[in-house]
Amino acid sequence: MSNVSQHLLSGALSGLTSSLFLQPFDLIKTRLQQGDPSLKTTQAGTIRSITRAIVSSSGVFGLWRGTSATLIRNVPGISFYMTGLNQVRGFMSVSPLFATVRKRDSEKHSSVLPVLTNSGNLLAGATTRVAVGFVLNPFSVLKARYESNLHNYASLMSSVRSIIRAGPSDLFRGFLASSLRDAPNAGLFLVLYEGIKHEAGSLIPSSSPLVLAALHSGSGAAAGTIATLATHPFDVIKTRLQVRTEEKYHGLTRTVLTVWNERGIYGFFDGASLRLSRKILSSAIGWAVYESLLLFARTNSLKEVA
């Protein structure tokens, strides 16, 4: 499908839906990953105690703190990523290096996206994600700091002003760690998503919208699980870089050594269950919404032509 506006809209709605539902996972994960140097052998806090503290001080809706910053980051971020990914895949699909020999029959009813080889999907996912991540890194810093309780911002605008005053060094803080997380995560996810969707689609001949939504949702959840676990340590490093300002968190290598000295190997998996739960749900919701809307648009356009 070449209509860019449909991909932008589908991606934006995908980002909006997943962000609104899953913000508590992001908030608690950030609080867990930000670290506490006074604790050497145990986690900075348990999920239960962090949740209880947030609810006690701010009520249940306190779990949605940072939603505005998340929407500013994720709605355009997911929209640009999915649209850019489709454009990159479309461009690569005409190359004999990355195009499949023929269109898979099982995908005629299950997807409207370009079909590539595994290496093509890996490269397309990685490069598109890093490019979008670079453009939106300032918003990632804003999101992380607004969710953290180490920066007591009174409002979203005060956090924006604070980060802007800090200059480029803070606006792009944590980008290298984000790239080391996002490039393999996005590439691996896309390879797994397309592979699982293809195999499952060959077993499910139905073209029912509900069945296809379940197919995309299940494929996204399964792919998200594997890709998330493989890249989680860089998520911890990224969070520390973006929310901590101490000298020992200046630079990727220093941050890695600090996490290791404070928490050992377990420190690199702080918040893994939260990120995994969030990623499974966001992949399931996001890709189901995105592909379902595109399939709906294609079906309507075909009916109009007929």
Side-chain angles (χ1 to χ4, degrees):
M1 183 171 289
S2 59
N3 194 330
V4 173
S5 63
Q6 290 180 347
H7 285 271
L8 285 170
L9 177 61
S10 299
L13 290 175
S14 171
L16 176 65
T17 304
S18 59
S19 296
L20 288 176
F21 277 104
L22 304 175
Q23 177 59 23
F25 289 91
D26 269 352
L27 177 66
I28 299 169
K29 178 179 72 71
T30 297
R31 298 285 177 92
L32 187 63
Q33 289 182 344
Q34 68 188 15
D36 185 343
S38 66
L39 300 175
K40 301 295 184 181
T41 59
T42 61
Q43 287 195 355
T46 64
I47 295 172
R48 182 178 299 175
S49 63
I50 291 173
T51 304
R52 186 184 297 118
I54 294 171
V55 173
S56 176
S57 63
S58 306
V60 174
F61 290 108
L63 294 171
W64 273 265
R65 175 178 170 81
T67 299
S68 54
T70 297
L71 292 176
I72 291 172
R73 166 61 180 85
N74 286 0
V75 172
I78 294 175
S79 180
F80 293 159
Y81 170 68
M82 288 183 164
T83 304
L85 181 62
N86 182 70
Q87 297 300 309
V88 170
R89 290 172 74 183
F91 176 78
M92 293 174 68
S93 67
V94 300
S95 168
L97 291 175
F98 304 113
T100 54
V101 176
R102 60 183 178 83
K103 177 73 175 178
R104 296 167 178 164
D105 293 336
S106 64
E107 289 177 349
K108 290 180 179 178
H109 71 278
S110 65
S111 180
V112 296
L113 302 177
V115 179
L116 300 177
T117 60
N118 286 338
S119 60
N121 282 323
L122 188 68
L123 182 61
T127 54
T128 306
R129 184 66 180 270
V130 171
V132 173
F134 176 77
V135 174
L136 295 177
N137 195 78
F139 298 103
S140 296
V141 176
L142 170 66
K143 176 182 178 299
R145 292 190 177 181
Y146 199 66
E147 290 171 349
S148 169
N149 59 0
L150 298 177
H151 301 266
N152 295 317
Y153 296 126
S155 66
L156 181 64
M157 287 309 301
S158 66
S159 64
V160 171
R161 287 193 292 267
S162 175
I163 294 172
I164 291 176
R165 283 198 299 268
S169 62
D170 267 23
L171 291 174
F172 291 93
R173 192 172 176 87
F175 172 68
L176 177 58
S178 294
S179 298
L180 292 173
R181 176 199 65 180
D182 290 343
N185 182 287
L188 182 59
F189 173 87
L190 194 58
V191 170
L192 293 169
Y193 174 73
E194 291 295 341
I196 295 169
K197 184 177 67 173
H198 168 61
E199 295 301 325
S202 64
L203 302 174
I204 305 174
S206 173
S207 58
S208 164
L210 288 177
V211 173
L212 293 180
L215 170 65
H216 299 142
S217 182
S219 300
T225 299
I226 301 171
T228 298
L229 287 175
T231 58
H232 185 75
F234 291 107
D235 189 63
V236 175
I237 297 166
K238 185 270 302 180
T239 299
R240 293 283 187 101
L241 279 166
Q242 290 181 341
V243 304
R244 305 300 292 252
T245 58
E246 299 96 316
E247 185 69 22
K248 61 185 177 181
Y249 292 110
H250 286 188
L252 181 67
T253 303
R254 284 187 182 181
T255 303
V256 170
L257 292 175
T258 299
V259 174
W260 176 266
N261 291 333
E262 290 181 359
R263 298 271 297 113
I265 189 65
Y266 299 106
F268 295 102
F269 290 91
D270 281 344
S273 60
L274 287 164
R275 181 168 176 254
L276 182 60
S277 300
R278 195 230 186 266
K279 198 67 177 179
I280 290 172
L281 292 171
S282 66
S283 298
I285 294 170
W287 282 88
V289 171
Y290 177 66
E291 290 228 50
S292 294
L293 287 172
L294 292 180
L295 284 168
F296 176 77
R298 183 183 70 172
T299 302
N300 279 354
S301 66
L302 291 175
K303 286 181 180 179
E304 290 175 2
V305 171

